[in-house]
C-alpha cells in the first residue's frame, strides 16, 4: 500500500507539473508585418496582433508563447504540432478550411494594389494589362490573380513581401498586391512615400479573399477553438480590443 501511495503521489505531482507548464503556442510568420507584428530592438515580437494575443491569453488565463516560421510553413507547422494556433493575419477561406479549422474573425482587411508613383491609378484587370504584379506565395492574392488578372498581367512571386517591395521600388515590377492595411502602412513610411502610391482596392470576392482574419487550428481542436472564440468575444466587449486598436489605427479593424 505504501508503494502504491508513493506511486500515486508521484503521478499526481507529474500531472500537476505538466499542467502548470502547459502553454498555448501561437505561430506567426517570421518576417516583419507591421503594424501587426514586428521585432523590437531587443528581438521581442511586438505589434497589434501580438497585443491582441496577450489580451486573449489573459482572458483565457493561459500562458502563451510565440513560435515563428516562414509563411508557407505555417499550416504544415500547425499540423506537425510545432504550435497550437496560427495567429498571423491568415484569411479565413473555404480552401483553407478543407485543411484546418478557424476561430471567429478577429479583424478584416480588403486587398489592394500599390504601384510606382508615376503609374496610372486603378486596380481592375484592364488597369493592370501588360504589367507585372508582385505577390507573396501561398496567399489569397495569388489565387485572386489566377482568376482575375492572369489573362491580363504577369505574376512574379516572392517568399516575403519585403522582397516584393524592394523590386517595386527598383522598378523591376509594376505593382505589389496584398492586404490593404499593411500596404497602406508601407505607404506611410519614408520608403513608401518616396517610391509608391495607392492604386486602389480590388473588387471583393469573398470566395477567394475570405471572410476576415482568424486563428488557424488543427482539425477537431474544438476545445481550444471555443476558448479562443470566447476570449475574442470578451476582449471586443470589455473594450480591450478598442484600447489596443487605437494605438495603431484610426479605424476599427474588425469591420474594415
Amino acid at each position: 500500500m505504501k508503494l502504491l501511495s508513493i506511486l500515486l503521489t508521484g503521478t499526481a505531482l507529474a500531472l500537476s507539473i505538466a499542467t502548470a507548464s502547459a502553454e498555448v503556442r501561437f505561430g506567426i510568420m517570421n518576417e516583419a508585418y507591421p503594424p501587426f507584428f514586428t521585432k523590437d530592438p531587443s528581438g521581442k515580437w511586438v505589434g497589434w496582433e501580438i497585443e491582441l494575443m496577450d489580451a486573449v491569453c489573459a482572458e483565457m488565463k493561459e500562458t502563451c508563447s510565440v513560435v515563428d516560421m516562414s509563411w508557407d510553413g505555417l499550416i504544415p507547422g500547425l499540423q506537425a504540432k510545432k504550435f497550437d494556433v496560427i495567429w498571423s493575419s491568415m484569411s479565413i477561406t473555404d480552401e483553407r478550411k478543407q485543411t484546418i479549422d478557424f476561430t471567429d474573425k478577429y479583424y478584416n482587411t480588403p486587398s489592394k494594389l500599390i504601384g510606382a508613383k508615376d503609374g496610372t491609378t486603378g486596380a481592375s484587370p484592364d488597369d493592370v494589362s501588360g504589367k507585372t504584379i508582385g505577390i507573396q506565395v501561398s496567399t489569397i492574392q495569388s489565387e485572386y490573380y489566377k482568376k482575375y488578372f492572369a489573362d491580363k498581367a504577369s505574376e512574379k512571386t516572392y517568399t516575403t513581401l519585403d522582397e516584393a517591395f524592394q523590386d517595386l521600388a527598383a522598378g523591376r515590377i509594376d505593382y505589389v498586391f496584398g492586404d490593404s492595411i499593411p500596404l497602406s502602412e508601407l505607404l506611410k513610411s519614408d520608403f513608401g512615400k518616396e517610391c509608391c502610391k495607392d492604386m486602389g482596392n480590388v473588387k471583393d470576392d469573398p470566395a477567394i479573399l475570405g471572410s476576415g482574419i482568424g486563428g488557424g487550428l488543427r482539425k477537431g481542436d474544438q476545445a481550444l477553438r471555443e476558448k479562443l472564440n470566447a476570449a475574442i468575444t470578451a476582449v471586443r466587449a470589455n473594450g480591450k480590443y478598442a484600447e489596443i486598436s487605437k494605438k495603431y489605427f484610426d479605424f476599427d479593424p474588425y469591420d474594415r
Side-chain angles (χ1 to χ4, degrees):
M1 280 297 283
K2 188 173 182 181
L3 177 60
L4 177 60
S5 176
I6 292 170
L7 289 172
L8 289 173
T9 301
T11 301
L13 179 60
L15 287 172
S16 175
I17 292 171
T19 301
S21 62
E23 62 183 5
V24 181
R25 298 163 300 166
F26 283 65
I28 69 168
M29 179 171 62
N30 62 356
E31 63 172 289
Y33 195 65
F36 298 105
F37 45 88
T38 189
K39 283 187 175 179
D40 68 12
S42 72
K44 179 184 176 182
W45 285 105
V46 296
W48 182 89
E49 218 159 348
I50 302 301
E51 290 199 41
L52 180 64
M53 177 197 76
D54 289 340
V56 164
C57 289
E59 193 66 39
M60 294 192 298
K61 296 179 172 57
E62 294 280 3
T63 300
C64 296
S65 62
V66 170
V67 177
D68 58 66
M69 62 180 56
S70 66
W71 169 256
D72 55 0
L74 285 172
I75 290 178
L78 175 70
Q79 294 174 318
K81 298 186 178 181
K82 293 182 178 179
F83 50 85
D84 306 300
V85 52
I86 298 171
W87 197 260
S88 190
S89 292
M90 183 168 280
S91 297
I92 304 166
T93 68
D94 289 340
E95 181 179 359
R96 287 175 178 150
K97 283 194 284 188
Q98 293 176 26
T99 306
I100 62 174
D101 288 337
F102 280 94
T103 67
D104 294 340
K105 174 185 81 171
Y106 59 82
Y107 86 87
N108 188 51
T109 179
S111 289
K112 76 158 61 261
L113 292 167
I114 63 172
K117 290 186 77 170
D118 59 357
T120 303
T121 303
S124 72
D126 286 339
D127 292 323
V128 302
S129 183
K131 305 295 185 179
T132 300
I133 303 173
I135 305 173
Q136 187 175 19
V137 296
S138 303
T139 59
I140 55 175
Q141 287 81 22
S142 185
E143 294 304 310
Y144 190 97
Y145 164 85
K146 292 171 188 174
K147 180 174 179 179
Y148 290 100
F149 293 150
D151 291 341
K152 297 281 189 177
S154 300
E155 178 189 28
K156 186 171 182 181
T157 58
Y158 296 87
T159 303
T160 70
L161 269 180
D162 187 60
E163 294 169 327
F165 296 152
Q166 296 296 331
D167 270 7
L168 177 61
R172 289 187 285 267
I173 58 175
D174 302 293
Y175 302 100
V176 171
F177 184 25
D179 290 342
S180 172
I181 295 175
L183 292 190
S184 295
E185 288 299 306
L186 172 76
L187 294 177
K188 295 176 185 176
S189 70
D190 291 340
F191 173 82
K193 290 175 184 176
E194 186 70 25
C195 76
C196 314
K197 71 176 182 179
D198 189 339
M199 296 301 190
N201 292 353
V202 301
K203 178 184 176 182
D204 193 23
D205 184 344
I208 296 176
L209 299 180
S211 54
I213 303 296
L217 298 157
R218 285 184 289 275
K219 283 287 187 181
D221 198 350
Q222 187 63 19
L224 181 55
R225 184 175 185 271
E226 289 176 359
K227 288 180 72 173
L228 285 164
N229 282 344
I232 291 167
T233 298
V235 298
R236 284 281 296 167
N238 66 20
K240 189 65 178 177
Y241 185 99
E243 178 187 327
I244 295 167
S245 297
K246 285 176 183 176
K247 299 179 185 178
Y248 298 90
F249 311 114
D250 57 4
F251 54 86
D252 182 353
Y254 191 84
D255 294 317
R256 188 65 170 168

